[in-house]
Amino acid sequence: MKILVANLGSTSLKWRLFEFTNGVERMLHKGGFERVSDYPRAIEDCLGQLKAAGAITQESDLAAVGFKTVLARGVNGCVRLDDPVVQAMEAFNAIAPAHNPPYVSGIRLFAQRVPEVPLVGLFETAFYQWIPEAATRYGVPDAWHQAGVRRWGYHGASHKFIAERSAELLGREDVAERARRLYQDGGTTPVREPALRVISCHLGGSSSITGIRNGVAVGNSLGLSPQSGLPHNNRVGDLDAMAVPFLLRSQGLSLEEIEKQLCREGGLKGVSGVSNDIRDIQTAADQGHPRARLALDFFVHETRRWIGAYLAQLNGADALVFTAGIGENRAETRAAICAELDQLGVVLDPERNAATRAQEAVISPPGAKVTVMVIPTNEELVVAREVKRFLEHPPA
Ligand code: ADP
């Protein structure tokens, strides 16, 4: 069974093609385009590359195209992306203006181009379907909550991968199995005592932290929108809601201008005034740029704040995992995040940390109370696996 997973951005198209045969998973092809101006052309070229590489001979070789969809009104989990679902995504475009519209238009283009191939989405909110109700709430009137103003949580595919893989690496096959089966049985696969408590830090272009107990999320730093929680590359992160009426009334900014600045001029870019890429910010900080230094400190501060939240929620942690572009590659950021947490059991082995880049590794010393790990994430694989399960066990 061949499943194409397409990652849609407003000006990018990236893909990975997976094949599942007799219990063996293989990635057959990966590729992508940046700075796309003609999206139908990019889809055509993607299919062309798959054929040229011999990965497929015709479109109907694809059992499905899978998408890491963001959120939709009244829809969650892994679902067929038919018209009502795409409309439900569109209904929440304003919550995820940088993420949802490219998916809505891209999925419609795929539907036109490969009408014979099922399109299936795994929503980024799916991993948080079982968080405690209190963790979904904002202090708003109930009608707002019912309308969708709640904590949703995102990066679900990434954190689910970490839930499975960290349990495997920690020798907790029971918990790994519960995490694998989560979307089948809602986390009811039995596990033994003691509970496995993992804090997963996805630090990249967008960043979030999740607490995971026995393979099931207890919450995520991303709330209503993928603009919340930690500061992101150019998106704001958490902000007191009263900032918006204040700016509207006192600074003469329009709602559109405020929204644009929150989604494009905020986060690390806004604080540093330098760049949305942490590597450029680091270079500027090393050259003595004070706001670049501040942006790095701010990112570390906010990350520690959310780690603290889940240390409390989970009553400690067995593992702290770093993943995504920053988490996998930047030893200095990991060191700053883990500094002076020894009373909470978090200690790094400086040499192991410095030597670890984009590979699975334990970076805490042997016998440490909290095992600190780097695990490269694989969101596309999680999507492909769930799409496969969806095709094999379609909902009644
Ligand atoms: P996205 O969330 O958009 O998928 P990534 O996970 O690639 O993005 O994370 C992007 C961030 O990670 C950027 O700030 C970038 O500087 C940083 N990053 C990515 N790769 C590396 C690397 N090899 N070394 C250092 N930093 C990196």
Side-chain angles (χ1 to χ4, degrees):
M1 179 186 287
K2 290 178 182 175
I3 295 171
L4 178 68
V5 178
N7 189 332
L8 314 182
S10 53
T11 60
S12 67
L13 169 65
K14 296 179 199 153
W15 66 86
R16 289 189 193 188
L17 178 68
F18 294 91
E19 184 177 48
F20 297 88
T21 31
N22 306 324
V24 179
E25 308 173 330
R26 274 204 307 156
M27 191 176 68
L28 294 183
H29 195 265
K30 75 186 252 195
F33 303 113
E34 306 274 356
R35 287 191 270 278
V36 171
S37 56
D38 180 349
Y39 223 91
R41 175 86 250 152
I43 293 173
E44 205 55 53
D45 291 345
C46 160
L47 295 167
Q49 284 200 15
L50 294 176
K51 288 179 200 163
I56 59 170
T57 51
Q58 55 202 8
E59 284 74 9
S60 59
D61 290 350
L62 298 172
V65 184
F67 298 88
K68 191 163 58 85
T69 42
V70 183
L71 92 160
R73 183 166 66 195
V75 182
N76 211 342
C78 189
V79 301
R80 184 85 180 242
L81 295 169
D82 54 15
D83 277 342
V85 171
V86 177
Q87 282 159 19
M89 292 170 65
E90 212 165 18
F92 273 176
N93 273 358
I95 295 178
H99 299 84
N100 247 18
Y103 269 96
V104 167
S105 56
I107 288 162
R108 288 190 171 132
L109 290 172
F110 268 96
Q112 279 167 20
R113 178 59 185 80
V114 287
E116 70 279 29
V117 180
L119 308 184
V120 181
L122 175 64
F123 280 93
E124 285 283 73
T125 49
F127 193 45
Y128 310 101
Q129 292 173 90
W130 302 279
I131 64 175
E133 165 117 46
T136 69
R137 285 276 167 171
Y138 287 114
V140 295
D142 193 61
W144 291 28
H145 178 84
Q146 301 307 335
V149 180
R150 46 158 288 178
R151 291 184 177 278
W152 290 101
Y154 297 91
H155 284 156
S158 178
H159 290 297
K160 181 168 192 289
F161 182 85
I162 300 301
E164 292 178 22
R165 190 66 190 138
S166 61
E168 286 166 8
L169 293 171
L170 293 162
R172 288 293 302 264
E173 183 48 38
D174 57 330
V175 172
E177 183 60 12
R178 175 182 282 187
R180 273 182 226 120
R181 294 179 55 83
L182 183 61
Y183 298 149
Q184 269 156 283
D185 64 14
T188 54
T189 302
V191 291
R192 39 171 230 272
E193 293 287 328
L196 182 67
R197 303 155 301 167
V198 175
I199 299 176
S200 171
C201 306
H202 176 115
L203 309 178
S206 59
S207 297
S208 76
I209 311 228
T210 285
I212 304 166
R213 182 186 286 111
N214 284 334
V216 184
V218 301
N220 178 238
S221 59
L222 289 163
L224 169 67
S225 76
Q227 276 78 249
S228 56
L230 305 190
H232 309 285
N233 52 4
N234 62 352
R235 288 170 292 111
V236 58
D238 278 349
L239 175 73
D240 187 319
M242 293 312 287
V244 174
F246 168 72
L247 289 168
L248 266 174
R249 293 196 182 110
S250 69
Q251 303 291 306
L253 295 180
S254 67
L255 191 55
E256 288 68 29
E257 183 58 28
I258 292 171
E259 188 182 27
K260 192 183 112 201
Q261 294 197 21
L262 290 172
C263 297
R264 293 197 223 147
E265 306 297 330
L268 296 178
K269 183 180 178 189
V271 175
S272 70
V274 169
S275 167
N276 61 11
D277 190 306
I278 202 165
R279 288 168 287 198
D280 302 336
I281 299 172
Q282 182 75 56
T283 304
D286 292 344
Q287 291 165 354
H289 191 298
R291 275 175 54 201
R293 167 54 47 204
L294 174 65
L296 297 175
D297 292 347
F298 172 53
F299 183 72
V300 168
H301 182 270
E302 292 296 285
T303 303
R304 286 165 64 92
R305 192 146 76 89
W306 279 99
I307 290 173
Y310 292 115
L311 279 169
Q313 217 68 48
L314 296 170
N315 189 14
D318 302 293
L320 177 66
V321 183
F322 289 100
T323 194
I326 296 173
E328 291 168 25
N329 292 297
R330 292 186 51 84
E332 58 273 66
T333 306
R334 295 192 298 255
I337 291 166
C338 294
E340 291 175 38
L341 294 180
D342 54 302
Q343 295 296 314
L344 297 170
V346 176
V347 181
L348 283 192
D349 177 324
E351 279 163 25
R352 290 184 189 206
N353 181 42
T356 300
R357 211 163 219 258
Q359 85 226 46
E360 277 183 357
V362 172
I363 57 172
S364 50
K369 197 165 151 203
V370 178
T371 304
V372 186
M373 297 192 278
V374 174
I375 302 179
T377 194
N378 196 338
E379 302 167 83
E380 290 80 7
L381 180 60
V382 170
V383 174
R385 285 173 179 165
E386 291 307 322
V387 170
K388 171 175 177 280
R389 194 175 55 76
F390 176 88
L391 297 175
E392 289 171 347
H393 309 280

